[in-house]
Amino acid sequence: MTVTKKSIHGEWSSRFAFVLAATGSAVGLGNIWKFPYITGEHGGGAFVFVYLLCVLLIGIPIMIAETMLGRRGRQSPINTMQTLAEEAGAGVNWHYLGWMGVIAGFLILSYYSVIAGWASAYVFKSLTGSFSADAMQVKALFDDFIASPLQLIFWHTLFMGATMFVVARGVQGGLEKAVRFLMPSLFVLLILMVGYAMSSGAYQQGLSFLFNPDFSKIDAASVLTAMGHAFFTLSLGMGAIMVYGSYLPKEVSISKTVFIIAGADTAVALLAGIAIFPIVFANNLEPSAGPGLIFQTLPIAFGSMGGGLIFGTLFFVLLVFAALSSSISLIEPAVAWLVENRGLSREQSCVWAGLVTWLLGLVTVFSFNIGADVKIFGHTMFNLLDYLTANLMLPIGGFFVAVFAGWIMQQRHSEDELQMHPPAAYKLWRFLVCYISPAAVFLVFLNVVGVL
Ligand code: PHE
């Protein structure tokens, strides 16, 4: 069977285009919204340390594997897994890995879009001068906002609409153009925020919270969250990177590219942490404030700095675009499959996928207000969705990607696809993906259920 044809959905115009798109997928709310608040909830440095370790030992090898599978299969993750399993003479069940990814994508996007809606609303709150130097006022602004289901639905609808619009325009028209200028600008603005944080008085305290590990502060649940976040932030385990890999031209070096993407993603998360925690401590806020953390801290900075109105607006605009370049990759596996298997046009596929996600999103909207008391095992619906996807589905998906790439796919195929130099690099990757990454995921799970 020949699996080296081009994808029917198109191809990236260059390696740079892929780097931008994949970085666009990786860098998003996960780095700027989620990383700081879960770091705050899990006590800081030790959590950050475990997260970095997971990125290195689990995330990067699996990202290389997932990109490689995509490029070799050249289709939606569901069909890619089926084709590659046939090529390897393996069982017929591997396409279920693709299915789990599609479902995870819907579930993640359903809440991702709601939070991206918050960021969109904050663009206008900044523009209209609602930010202030007073922490209490900023908190009240946030609390009032999320208490209103109608407002949340409005912004969620707008964000989903934008996502569907970009995805409908396809690989080169929509996805590529959307990220070309936005990623670098976001980076520059974050550095500016770090500059502000340095002058805010609690810079040392913020840094030491982030980088001084106190291992007594973490437990099995923290380790699972850190590992889950490594998958979430690198967009792994649900087919996003696989489908982007399927649009990657054959001559591009996958491993080098992955290092650039993972490096940029980690840098953005750390910068966000360095910008936010000094503000938290300087204003006597709680690091463990939860999903509202950045919305309750950054507006204080914008409310008190010179030119804060402009910088605040720009920051949230860029955050929305960073979220948009991630959300399009969350839905792309489903859209690619609908086009391949259901004979729908890209536009029709987008409408259907978008409608389903939008409806699911209402669960998250209500879990912050009228449904806040609906709890299962003591968790809100939003928490459960987040836990189910980031802590369970993505690591399980990643585990099987590693197993497939390391154990099922023929070695000569992965060698041929990766073309790593020196040969020792390939050996190291193979060792990680065969043994270390799957074993690490497995041990973390065992640890959580209390077997270890
Ligand atoms: N990596 C994205 C972020 O950090 C979220 C994402 C997860 C995107 C999984 C695609 C797949 O915001």
Side-chain angles (χ1 to χ4, degrees):
M1 170 167 319
T2 150
V3 282
T4 46
K5 61 183 191 304
K6 281 193 181 184
S7 164
I8 60 163
H9 309 285
E11 247 186 24
W12 305 115
S13 57
S14 63
R15 167 178 131 134
F16 184 58
F18 171 75
V19 170
L20 281 176
T23 310
S25 167
V27 175
L29 295 174
N31 307 62
I32 293 168
W33 160 74
K34 191 172 178 189
F35 171 73
Y37 95 71
I38 55 177
T39 298
E41 284 178 339
H42 291 271
F47 178 85
V48 174
F49 178 81
V50 177
Y51 151 74
L52 291 175
L53 206 65
C54 290
V55 166
L56 211 60
L57 293 181
I58 307 177
I60 291 178
I62 291 183
M63 197 173 198
I64 294 177
E66 203 175 313
T67 314
M68 172 193 77
L69 297 185
R71 188 170 68 182
R72 195 164 181 85
R74 289 256 176 260
Q75 301 150 74
S76 68
I78 295 173
N79 292 332
T80 282
M81 287 317 299
Q82 182 152 357
T83 311
L84 295 183
E86 280 167 20
E87 184 189 52
V92 290
N93 291 327
W94 281 99
H95 68 283
Y96 289 120
L97 181 55
W99 277 109
M100 189 177 70
V102 166
I103 295 169
F106 276 117
L107 294 177
I108 296 175
L109 184 53
S110 78
Y111 66 80
Y112 204 86
S113 166
V114 175
I115 310 294
W118 296 2
S120 318
Y122 268 61
V123 170
F124 291 88
K125 292 196 190 302
S126 175
L127 256 185
T128 50
S130 313
F131 292 169
S132 105
D134 178 53
M136 293 310 287
Q137 275 182 29
V138 168
K139 182 168 173 4
L141 184 74
F142 178 73
D143 290 343
D144 288 348
F145 171 61
I146 62 164
S148 157
L150 275 183
Q151 287 197 47
L152 299 198
I153 291 175
F154 173 79
W155 295 104
H156 163 54
T157 310
L158 214 63
F159 186 81
M160 271 315 295
T163 301
M164 289 357 283
F165 179 76
V166 177
V167 177
R169 293 186 56 199
V171 170
Q172 289 191 359
L175 314 194
E176 245 186 78
K177 292 211 179 87
V179 283
R180 195 151 274 221
F181 298 106
L182 302 167
M183 285 298 113
S185 326
L186 181 68
F187 208 77
V188 171
L189 213 67
L190 266 177
I191 296 195
L192 190 98
M193 293 300 297
V194 170
Y196 173 82
M198 285 174 96
S199 65
S200 78
Y203 189 60
Q204 283 305 330
Q205 206 183 341
L207 276 192
S208 111
F209 179 76
L210 269 176
F211 297 114
N212 259 348
D214 173 356
F215 287 95
S216 68
K217 288 199 177 144
I218 57 169
D219 54 13
S222 310
V223 174
L224 177 67
T225 305
M227 178 182 77
H229 189 64
F231 282 97
F232 185 89
T233 192
L234 294 174
S235 307
L236 298 178
M238 53 68 64
I241 288 298
M242 198 184 289
V243 82
Y244 275 15
S246 77
Y247 310 143
L248 186 62
K250 176 90 180 124
E251 61 283 356
V252 172
S253 156
I254 292 180
S255 51
K256 279 193 203 129
T257 314
V258 162
F259 272 99
I260 299 174
I261 299 163
D265 184 75
T266 310
V268 171
L270 295 179
L271 283 176
I274 298 172
I276 286 163
F277 284 107
I279 305 174
V280 171
F281 294 117
N283 291 282
N284 289 322
L285 298 167
E286 276 303 316
S288 59
L293 185 67
I294 65 160
F295 298 96
Q296 294 171 23
T297 49
L298 295 180
I300 305 175
F302 297 127
S304 48
M305 66 169 74
L309 198 123
I310 297 168
F311 290 131
T313 309
L314 208 60
F315 178 84
F316 282 105
V317 166
L318 291 173
L319 183 58
V320 172
F321 277 105
L324 192 60
S325 62
S326 301
S327 65
I328 55 185
S329 72
L330 279 160
I331 203 76
E332 181 68 16
V335 169
W337 182 83
L338 285 169
V339 171
E340 285 165 16
N341 289 52
R342 286 285 165 266
L344 300 182
S345 69
R346 241 189 122 75
E347 289 79 5
Q348 288 166 326
S349 307
C350 282
V351 170
W352 283 113
L355 273 178
V356 172
T357 321
W358 182 84
L359 267 178
L360 272 172
L362 299 182
V363 172
T364 297
V365 164
F366 297 139
S367 89
F368 287 103
N369 36 64
I370 51 179
D373 295 332
V374 181
K375 291 201 173 150
I376 302 180
F377 305 125
H379 293 286
T380 63
M381 295 309 286
F382 161 72
N383 280 335
L384 278 184
L385 271 174
D386 174 43
Y387 193 91
L388 175 70
T389 50
N391 291 7
L392 301 179
M393 293 175 90
L394 299 186
I396 292 173
F399 175 88
F400 283 108
V401 164
V403 168
F404 190 90
W407 296 94
I408 309 289
M409 190 173 194
Q410 288 182 27
Q411 185 167 342
R412 64 188 171 88
H413 287 158
S414 60
E415 248 175 324
D416 172 51
E417 206 60 56
L418 292 175
Q419 301 278 347
M420 282 189 188
H421 299 290
Y426 175 79
K427 285 217 176 77
L428 175 65
W429 170 77
R430 206 176 156 76
F431 176 72
L432 290 170
V433 95
C434 281
Y435 301 102
I436 303 298
S437 322
V441 174
F442 195 64
L443 289 179
V444 172
F445 279 146
L446 284 187
N447 197 13
V448 170
V449 293
V451 177
L452 288 182

